[in-house]
Amino acid sequence: MPDHYDRLEGRDPFARERAQFKTLRTMLAYSKAKAPGLRRQLKGIEPKEIMNRAALTAIPVIRKSDLKELQSPESPFGGLTATKPGALGRLFLSPGPIADPEGLASDWWGAARALYAAGFRKGDIVQNTFSYHLTPGGFILESGARALGCAVIPAGPGNTEQQLDCIRHFHPIGYVGVPDFLKALLDKCTEAGVNQPFKKALVSGAAFPPSLQNVIADYGVDAYQAYATADLGVVAYETAARNGLVVNETVIVEILRPGTGDPVPDGEVGEVVVTRLNADYPLLRFATGDLSKVVKGKSACGRTGMRLAGWLGRADQTTKVKGMFVHPGTIAEVMKRHPEIHKVRLVVERKGEQDVMTLQAETRRKVADGLAGVVSDTLQALTKLRGSVELVAPGTLPNDGKIIADERPVG
């Protein structure tokens, strides 16, 4: 049997889906009565009706900016927590400011699976360089490490000389933190003549390009990536297969067309939207603002969960054209009103000292039937701006998640 954290990681995908939605219904039935913000989000929807992903799409998406607006009049957590603040374990105030809770359960953030997949085991000593100051970063990874039975050095970020002192004294075999600081530590060890003991690492919070991966590997460190946020904990994690990030068993992930609540086909780039299966803080359809896509097929590591391709950019593409804001959701609405169109992309350029919009639309219909003119009228009606329409064949537009491509020169 593959070396997995538990049997949940290898279950039949249909069984996982049924179990997760059963958990979701039970959790919401309990939490709805205790969380007024959740009741508002579920207005007109009964938890027992949420049987599958199709039913999930009826629930409005919540964004990071919404949390700040919700928490301002209804502190500390905008009515979205089912557990009273005094019964929680820790209370954080991240930049924004946005408040985040932490409950009392072991591995509350779901980090143990990611660490296990990266090779961390009971008895390992781990140097944790994520911040412990007011934000949950350090605690997210510490909770997982301690759930595995690891000893944790709460080093936090920066203070390289003190970090070296920790390495000299405790000889940590594992590192968690951002990848560029790992390189900085390894370089510093070499300069100081310190025999660095790191053999494994779990990195997150910053880009980890192949060039940096190669440098870390040359130092003898086996490093893996995790996708985590302060609101959701660990969403997905890399495995020995090195082919995408496996979605955590503690969340349901959707890939939606940016600016909408509509799922995209598997393999198409869209916004990562997460439902967290946590009774203390049941975040429901939380839009991360990050772009990714589903990696098709079964992972060679034997885990059967959905896989993400990793971070592929940001989803917020709101653009100002001739003094008017154009939102991705508005452009997606153009497509909805014309079922002949399968995919759209609004290109904004600067020509003759003027902003020019061109809506590129994939369709099987021919230009001669007047579709372009009708779509152009819809574009103007929804955006209050004139724009041309270019009909293109299916598969023409790039798969990068962009609904609005601002190609105007900077400066």
Side-chain angles (χ1 to χ4, degrees):
M1 179 179 177
D3 189 15
H4 295 168
Y5 179 71
D6 61 18
R7 293 182 178 275
L8 295 181
E9 294 182 330
R11 19 176 201 178
D12 175 78
F14 296 103
R16 174 184 291 107
E17 198 89 345
R18 288 194 299 268
Q20 286 187 325
F21 275 90
K22 182 179 179 180
T23 298
L24 178 62
R25 292 191 297 274
T26 302
M27 180 187 75
L28 293 180
Y30 163 81
S31 302
K32 186 178 177 182
K34 300 175 180 292
L38 188 62
R39 286 200 299 275
R40 290 191 290 270
Q41 189 183 6
L42 287 169
K43 185 178 180 180
I45 301 171
E46 291 297 326
K48 64 182 180 182
E49 299 171 352
I50 307 172
M51 300 296 294
N52 49 39
R53 290 174 180 268
L56 203 58
T57 61
I59 301 170
V61 168
I62 284 185
R63 301 189 173 279
K64 187 92 170 181
S65 57
D66 296 331
L67 291 183
K68 183 177 179 180
E69 294 176 6
L70 288 169
Q71 291 176 1
S72 180
E74 196 170 359
S75 65
F77 302 113
L80 294 175
T81 49
T83 303
K84 293 181 179 179
L88 292 164
R90 293 186 179 92
L91 311 176
F92 303 101
L93 197 64
S94 299
I98 293 174
D100 292 302
E102 180 184 51
L104 295 171
S106 174
D107 192 28
W108 192 82
W109 300 96
R113 291 181 190 281
L115 288 161
Y116 191 91
F120 289 71
R121 296 294 184 269
K122 182 178 181 179
D124 287 349
I125 297 174
V126 181
Q127 190 145 329
N128 185 358
T129 68
F130 282 115
S131 176
Y132 282 81
H133 180 64
L134 290 178
T135 60
F139 296 97
I140 291 175
L141 274 300
E142 174 165 321
S143 66
R146 296 189 65 179
L148 287 179
C150 302
V152 179
I153 305 166
N159 300 310
T160 309
E161 292 300 330
Q162 288 181 294
Q163 300 271 359
L164 286 183
D165 287 341
C166 288
I167 291 172
R168 292 187 184 99
H169 279 79
F170 300 117
H171 308 289
I173 194 172
Y175 167 95
V176 294
V178 295
D180 52 345
F181 189 57
L182 172 58
K183 179 183 180 300
L185 274 183
L186 295 171
D187 290 344
K188 196 69 176 179
C189 283
T190 300
E191 293 172 12
V194 176
N195 184 23
Q196 71 86 13
F198 296 135
K199 298 300 179 187
K200 59 191 76 172
L202 184 67
V203 299
S204 188
F208 192 34
S211 57
L212 182 54
Q213 293 176 32
N214 292 335
V215 171
I216 300 301
D218 287 343
Y219 270 111
V221 181
D222 196 15
Y224 290 79
Q225 302 177 70
Y227 173 37
T229 78
D231 312 285
L232 299 164
V234 174
V235 175
Y237 52 92
E238 192 174 21
T239 74
R242 303 287 189 180
N243 185 18
L245 307 183
V246 175
V247 170
N248 209 337
E249 301 291 331
T250 56
V251 296
I252 298 171
V253 169
E254 302 170 88
I255 305 296
L256 306 185
R257 185 161 284 109
T260 77
D262 305 326
V264 300
D266 284 356
E268 185 173 321
V269 176
E271 183 174 12
V272 179
V273 174
V274 182
T275 291
R276 189 177 185 194
L277 304 175
N278 183 294
D280 291 320
Y281 193 34
L283 271 181
L284 191 57
R285 299 199 90 200
F286 181 78
T288 63
D290 294 322
L291 293 175
S292 191
K293 65 179 180 179
V294 172
V295 178
K296 298 180 182 180
K298 185 178 179 180
S299 174
C301 72
R303 292 173 178 83
T304 57
M306 175 192 288
R307 284 178 296 150
L308 303 180
W311 187 81
L312 298 177
R314 291 293 293 172
D316 185 8
Q317 300 160 28
T318 299
T319 304
K320 185 178 280 189
V321 182
K322 296 182 179 179
M324 300 280 287
F325 281 108
V326 180
H327 301 272
T330 304
I331 303 306
E333 180 62 26
V334 175
M335 183 176 68
K336 285 184 179 180
R337 295 193 182 188
H338 298 279
E340 306 94 332
I341 295 174
H342 311 295
K343 190 174 182 180
V344 292
R345 182 185 185 95
L346 184 73
V347 179
V348 183
E349 301 172 288
R350 190 77 174 166
K351 294 182 180 179
E353 301 304 320
Q354 289 189 347
D355 292 338
V356 176
M357 298 193 317
T358 303
L359 182 70
Q360 298 175 336
E362 290 189 2
T363 179
R364 291 183 174 86
R365 286 178 56 175
K366 296 180 179 179
V367 178
D369 62 9
L371 178 61
V374 176
V375 175
S376 179
D377 291 341
T378 303
L379 177 66
Q380 183 175 354
L382 292 176
T383 64
K384 312 304 179 188
L385 296 164
R386 289 186 179 275
S388 60
V389 173
E390 178 187 352
L391 301 180
V392 298
T396 301
L397 301 181
N399 183 20
D400 57 6
K402 287 187 178 181
I403 288 184
I404 300 177
D406 190 344
E407 298 183 358
R408 292 171 293 189
V410 177

